Amino acid sequence: MSTFKAPKGTYDLIPPRSAKFLAVREAIAAPLRNSGYGYVETPGFENVELFSRGVGESTDIVSKEMYTLTTRGGDKLALRPEGTASVLRAALEANLHKQGNLPVKLYYSGSYYRYERAQAGRYRHFSQVGAEAIGAEDPALDAELIILADQAYRSLGLKNFRILLNSLGDKECRPAYRETLQAFLRGLDLDEETLRRAEINPLRVLDDKRPEVQKQLADAPLLRDYLCDACKAYHEEVRALVTAAGVVFEDDPKLVRGLDYYTRTTFEFVHGGLGSQSAVGGGGRYDGLSEMIGGPALPSVGWALGVDRTVLALEAEGVELDIARTTDVFAVALGDAKPTVFGLVTELRRAGVSADMSYGGKGLKGAMKDANRSGARLAVVAGDRDLAEGVVQLKDMESGEQTAVPLDALVESVRTKLA
Ligand code: AMP
């Protein structure tokens, strides 16, 4: 062990488990690529104000969880705590919204940082794959994203997840509801901090997980009953399109999300196997965000799915991904055969065969142990005498059968045996 450990709240992805993370990222990205979403990658840090303005000064993410730093040049930066604000910033900066048809559809995959109370499923460094459809107000887009997330989870074999759906209204109807909710919350027996939150962002109180708070919220007024006609019609269309696609969801009139920018459609993907960190992904519509960060009006919708928690959910369900990537050929060089065998391994790799070899000058016994451990189906063994005859020994690791193969016929023989 070294003197150092991964920082608190972080962990390393190491083989073989790391292969699951790659597979999950790919499974989430594939349906997006197939639906018109282009890949975007933004820096790991941004101007801190992008998040304080975009995500919201009063959110936990900005007020408690952001990693901020001042550079030697005096710039105030933050490690990105989420992806949407950065992606929208990048799209605006590149004028993507002016260059072609709207919406601009983008997807991303990367690391995010939040100074959280570290626990199972909640880390200070985690990874997400996200999608954003920027610049169009159309229920079909909201529905598309929900359906694509469902498709991604299902393609991985995940079953026990639920989709929760709500509408948060818009600037027409939310203010009146906000006031009604605030009046209701003022009458409850809440601690000081929660009462303060009720004044700044009352909807967030609905999301309080503590049972003593939830009990008091049983009769809280619901936004559902205050939606304006336009929001109601929009929401009904989203519901109808998702339903028609055969995707099952649950209406959750108390669902709110921890970021300020959401309007109308809001959804979350939850999984029962994760304990208290049940959200594996979430998203919604954020029609006002572009203006909040200095851009034009660009109604948009998006989601982010957590890769770490998706892997945990797969493990909780006992799903085995089909990712066993073993070496097909393992080569063993004896005596002075190393340069030739090394050349053959290179040749096999260039021909697309997965090949590895024994390193460190081991004897036959140790090298064959390596070959066994690699799980390879074929071993190539060659010593000085073989090379003098212009052959190598090709051994079937399962049957033990061994044949001499001319050097220049090795790739072909390997291909035939593996086919
Ligand atoms: P959010 O932006 O908070 O809605 O996050 C979207 C998804 O990212 C969540 O549903 C989680 O799967 C994942 N996520 C968020 N925060 C963390 C964290 N601290 N540790 C692990 N995964 C996280």
Side-chain angles (χ1 to χ4, degrees):
M1 203 156 98
S2 105
T3 352
F4 299 102
K5 281 186 159 183
K8 188 172 172 189
T10 71
Y11 63 102
D12 303 304
L13 298 180
I14 45 178
R17 196 166 178 257
S18 52
K20 290 190 200 175
F21 284 72
L22 287 179
V24 165
R25 288 189 187 122
E26 177 53 25
I28 300 172
L32 294 169
R33 270 200 306 270
N34 204 23
S35 309
Y37 291 77
Y39 181 67
V40 61
E41 194 165 317
T42 63
F45 48 80
E46 296 272 356
N47 190 315
V48 69
E49 283 213 9
L50 174 69
F51 302 116
S52 47
R53 274 206 251 161
V55 180
E57 206 81 68
S58 75
T59 60
D60 282 354
I61 293 179
V62 168
S63 64
K64 297 184 189 154
E65 297 170 0
M66 212 149 60
Y67 282 89
T68 52
L69 61 116
T70 306
T71 66
R72 287 170 202 273
D75 294 331
K76 290 196 176 1
L77 304 177
L79 300 189
R80 57 186 183 187
E82 60 101 46
T84 302
S86 311
V87 168
L88 190 55
R89 194 266 311 136
L92 290 170
E93 191 171 330
N95 276 323
L96 294 185
H97 58 298
K98 292 183 185 161
Q99 285 168 16
N101 293 343
L102 293 176
V104 175
K105 289 176 165 191
L106 299 170
Y107 82 94
Y108 59 89
S109 173
S111 293
Y112 295 85
Y113 309 87
R114 294 182 194 174
Y115 189 76
E116 306 222 48
R117 206 158 49 81
Q119 52 189 293
R122 183 176 287 280
Y123 310 108
R124 292 181 174 177
H125 165 259
F126 56 96
S127 67
Q128 293 183 335
V129 178
E132 316 289 351
I134 297 163
E137 194 181 65
D138 186 335
L141 271 181
D142 309 42
E144 167 177 296
L145 280 164
I146 294 170
I147 293 163
L148 290 174
D150 178 81
Q151 187 182 333
Y153 288 137
R154 287 193 190 283
S155 76
L156 285 162
L158 203 64
K159 290 200 184 72
N160 305 331
F161 65 92
R162 292 152 54 219
I163 302 174
L164 310 178
L165 183 63
N166 193 20
S167 171
L168 292 180
D170 63 5
K171 55 181 185 293
E172 293 304 315
C173 51
R174 196 152 66 189
Y177 168 72
R178 192 175 182 276
E179 270 178 37
T180 312
L181 179 63
Q182 246 163 2
F184 172 84
L185 295 174
R186 286 186 195 120
L188 301 183
D189 179 22
L190 299 171
D191 59 274
E192 196 114 328
E193 195 190 331
T194 313
L195 282 172
R196 210 171 320 124
R197 178 174 297 167
E199 294 309 315
I200 303 168
N201 197 335
L203 269 72
R204 194 78 46 65
V205 179
L206 295 178
D207 202 25
D208 200 309
K209 300 282 186 288
R210 292 169 298 177
E212 68 271 22
V213 176
Q214 274 306 322
K215 213 160 43 189
Q216 296 189 67
L217 293 174
D219 297 326
L222 297 175
L223 186 46
R224 181 169 67 187
D225 303 321
Y226 291 77
L227 291 181
C228 59
D229 288 344
C231 282
K232 228 182 269 175
Y234 193 96
H235 196 56
E236 279 317 309
E237 201 172 328
V238 175
R239 293 178 76 255
L241 289 168
V242 175
T243 305
V247 172
V248 179
F249 62 89
E250 298 165 33
D251 292 305
D252 181 351
K254 285 210 181 111
L255 179 71
V256 295
R257 299 197 11 90
L259 300 88
D260 273 353
Y261 51 60
Y262 285 106
T263 49
R264 291 195 170 169
T265 313
T266 300
F267 47 84
E268 203 154 81
F269 306 95
V270 295
H271 192 276
L274 299 182
S276 57
Q277 309 307 322
S278 62
V280 287
R285 184 155 274 287
Y286 50 93
D287 292 345
L289 178 58
S290 174
E291 286 148 298
M292 279 157 81
I293 62 169
L298 281 174
S300 307
V301 58
W303 52 236
L305 310 188
V307 177
D308 309 72
R309 287 192 203 159
T310 302
V311 170
L312 290 174
L314 288 166
E315 290 173 350
E317 281 193 33
V319 176
E320 289 296 337
L321 299 177
D322 187 19
I323 47 174
R325 172 98 190 121
T326 50
T327 303
D328 286 328
V329 178
F330 195 92
V332 171
L334 302 168
D336 294 326
K338 188 153 79 184
T340 307
V341 169
F342 185 75
L344 290 170
V345 167
T346 302
E347 202 184 326
L348 283 166
R349 288 171 176 166
R350 284 181 177 153
V353 176
S354 77
D356 200 358
M357 67 182 282
S358 177
Y359 295 97
K362 288 178 193 144
L364 182 61
K365 209 167 138 203
M368 285 316 285
K369 229 187 234 170
D370 286 350
N372 275 319
R373 230 179 273 139
S374 77
R377 285 163 61 194
L378 300 171
V380 169
V381 185
D384 299 334
R385 208 179 322 145
D386 298 303
L387 296 191
E389 291 169 20
V391 298
V392 294
Q393 303 298 324
L394 186 58
K395 182 175 176 183
D396 186 312
M397 295 296 281
E398 205 163 290
S399 66
E401 184 194 337
Q402 189 167 307
T403 42
V405 175
L407 292 178
D408 59 2
L410 180 65
V411 171
E412 232 7 80
S413 301
V414 163
R415 277 222 177 101
T416 313
K417 285 214 188 285
L418 290 176

